Amino acid sequence: MPVTLEEIARAAGVSRGTVDRALHDRGRIRPEVAAEIKKLALEMGYQPSRAGKALAMSGKKIKIGVILQYMETPFMMQTLKGVQEGKQEVESLGGIVQICEIEKVRPDKVIKLMEDMRRQGFQGIALTPSENPELKKVISKYCKEYGIPIVMMNADLEDTGRLCFVGQDNYQSGRTAAGLMGEITGGKGQVGVITGEVSNPGLKARRNGFTEELQKCYPHIQVAAVCYSHDEEEEAARATEQLLVQYPQLTGIYVTGHGVSGVCRVLKKAGKDGKIRMIANDFLEENKKWLKEGTINFLIGQDARTQGYEPVMILFRLLFDQIKPEKELLHTEIAIKTRYNI
């Protein structure tokens, strides 16, 4: 027998109305509650009865494209799972979702894929952007001239005319890291920042939020250096080794993105784990291991599933139901974990 909304409500400990709002994305409901209900419904085998809409939709030929950069990083692999969930839902209704994966930063390839999608009649595109003047121009042209809505995910380019952004408030995440660093270092000392690709706007926002908040609230903490790992573990390890040599009094390290294990291995080998305070991002299994061991003091997490799933569904709702997103900035939660609550 098919799973009912009442059964899902009982399993989730909420009302039937809450389940209905969560599964159909209507009404006011906290994003984390909606995500848990959708996950539970999927596990229980719930199949939405939208045959009428699926039949009507087949005539609309809705086609959504997704372009993901930085696919060598574990976090983007988590985001991909959310995209695939959205693809499965849209395609169950007769639509088409095409996912294109790109390793590293390749704005030229993003532009080519966008043009391919436009020529093939795709009506909406979700993508992870990078700081590139030509890519910005192309995105603006698609939004303003071609009328193809673009949803940014994971990182944002605000001045492009994009429909909306889904992801963490990266600047605020950096400020959060600065506040934590200020507390665990006693508000003084030298800290290093290890970040990824120069052209990643999300990591740039975190770095800026971190350094500006330290300048404002913790003037006795000096940012000794900002190092770029280009999202490579070994590059992050080498950057850490250089920091330890150049700044023997280093008191803290903030890692804005990928490369955490490389940093932790060097600190452990040098006998500095637990002595040099460390803050990193994303609740990856490897990162959680270092957190439990005490090499990392705090992990700042973001909702990878939502960042992948919601852009697909936002475009679907816009193209099928003409429902625009409620806000331009759809920020996911900034979560903090320690070894005691992981």
Side-chain angles (χ1 to χ4, degrees):
M1 289 182 63
V3 177
T4 67
L5 297 186
E6 286 82 4
E7 289 172 327
I8 298 171
R10 283 196 298 271
V14 298
S15 68
R16 184 190 183 282
T18 299
V19 172
D20 183 74
R21 289 194 298 274
L23 296 181
H24 297 97
D25 297 299
R26 56 173 176 248
R28 295 196 171 200
I29 183 170
R30 295 201 309 276
E32 62 270 22
V33 173
E36 284 298 319
I37 291 172
K38 288 178 179 178
K39 180 181 176 184
L40 180 61
L42 194 64
E43 292 171 349
M44 294 176 67
Y46 173 73
Q47 293 293 328
S49 177
R50 297 183 68 182
K53 278 203 169 187
L55 183 63
M57 186 176 147
S58 63
K60 290 191 175 186
K61 298 181 181 177
I62 289 178
K63 300 171 74 175
I64 296 169
V66 182
I67 304 172
L68 304 173
Q69 295 191 94
Y70 319 107
M71 284 308 299
E72 74 281 3
T73 64
F75 179 77
M76 286 307 299
M77 293 302 296
Q78 289 187 342
T79 303
L80 176 61
K81 293 179 181 179
V83 174
Q84 290 169 334
E85 186 180 334
K87 172 184 170 74
Q88 182 180 10
E89 186 167 339
V90 170
E91 292 189 343
S92 71
L93 301 170
I96 295 172
V97 177
Q98 179 176 312
I99 304 171
C100 299
E101 303 175 34
I102 302 172
E103 290 197 357
K104 301 292 185 181
V105 181
R106 290 289 305 277
D108 58 326
K109 194 167 184 180
V110 173
I111 292 170
K112 182 182 183 304
L113 287 169
M114 289 176 69
E115 182 60 17
D116 290 344
M117 289 174 177
R118 184 180 74 85
R119 292 182 182 279
Q120 293 170 30
F122 283 74
Q123 302 109 317
I125 299 173
L127 58 83
T128 51
S130 53
E131 287 278 1
N132 178 272
E134 188 60 30
L135 179 58
K136 284 185 174 183
K137 288 180 185 178
V138 171
I139 292 171
S140 294
K141 187 173 185 178
Y142 273 57
C143 296
K144 299 170 184 177
E145 185 176 327
Y146 297 149
I148 297 176
I150 306 290
V151 176
M152 301 285 183
M153 52 201 295
N154 188 249
D156 193 19
L157 297 176
E158 296 182 31
D159 55 346
T160 56
R162 53 94 177 103
L163 178 66
C164 66
F165 165 65
V166 180
Q168 191 179 69
D169 183 336
N170 288 299
Y171 183 83
Q172 193 67 13
S173 176
R175 292 186 64 215
T176 300
L180 294 170
M181 187 67 77
E183 293 297 320
I184 59 179
T185 60
K188 58 186 178 182
Q190 294 179 321
V191 300
V193 178
I194 297 178
T195 190
E197 292 286 354
V198 178
S199 58
N200 186 323
L203 300 187
K204 179 181 178 181
R206 286 180 187 171
R207 184 190 73 222
N208 289 343
F210 181 76
T211 55
E212 290 170 17
E213 185 69 11
L214 286 183
Q215 290 171 0
K216 178 181 176 182
C217 297
Y218 299 97
H220 298 296
I221 296 180
Q222 174 197 1
V223 177
V226 176
C227 308
Y228 292 91
S229 70
H230 306 290
D231 291 324
E232 296 282 354
E233 292 283 357
E234 293 308 314
E235 286 287 333
R238 282 191 286 271
T240 307
E241 290 171 346
Q242 291 172 4
L243 282 174
L244 296 182
V245 171
Q246 294 175 8
Y247 304 97
Q249 302 303 315
L250 197 71
T251 53
I253 294 177
Y254 171 46
V255 185
T256 67
H258 188 52
V260 173
S261 288
V263 177
C264 290
R265 288 198 304 270
V266 171
L267 291 181
K268 193 173 186 66
K269 184 178 179 181
K272 297 286 187 178
D273 54 322
K275 297 176 183 177
I276 291 179
R277 307 303 184 188
M278 183 173 169
I279 298 170
N281 284 273
D282 300 327
F283 301 151
L284 307 173
E285 289 305 315
E286 187 73 7
N287 293 356
K288 290 191 285 188
K289 177 181 79 72
W290 291 110
L291 181 68
K292 291 175 181 177
E293 290 183 8
T295 306
I296 297 174
N297 296 88
F298 292 104
L299 272 179
I300 299 175
Q302 52 184 328
D303 187 344
R305 177 212 172 262
T306 297
Q307 289 183 199
Y309 173 81
E310 274 303 315
V312 176
M313 300 312 299
I314 285 169
L315 288 170
F316 167 71
R317 290 190 288 267
L318 177 69
L319 296 170
F320 183 59
D321 292 319
Q322 291 76 53
I323 297 175
K324 295 181 178 180
E326 293 182 2
K327 297 182 292 185
E328 181 182 353
L329 300 174
L330 301 165
H331 287 144
T332 55
E333 183 184 9
I334 297 175
I336 302 170
K337 294 288 186 181
T338 73
R339 63 190 298 183
Y340 300 105
N341 71 339
I342 192 66

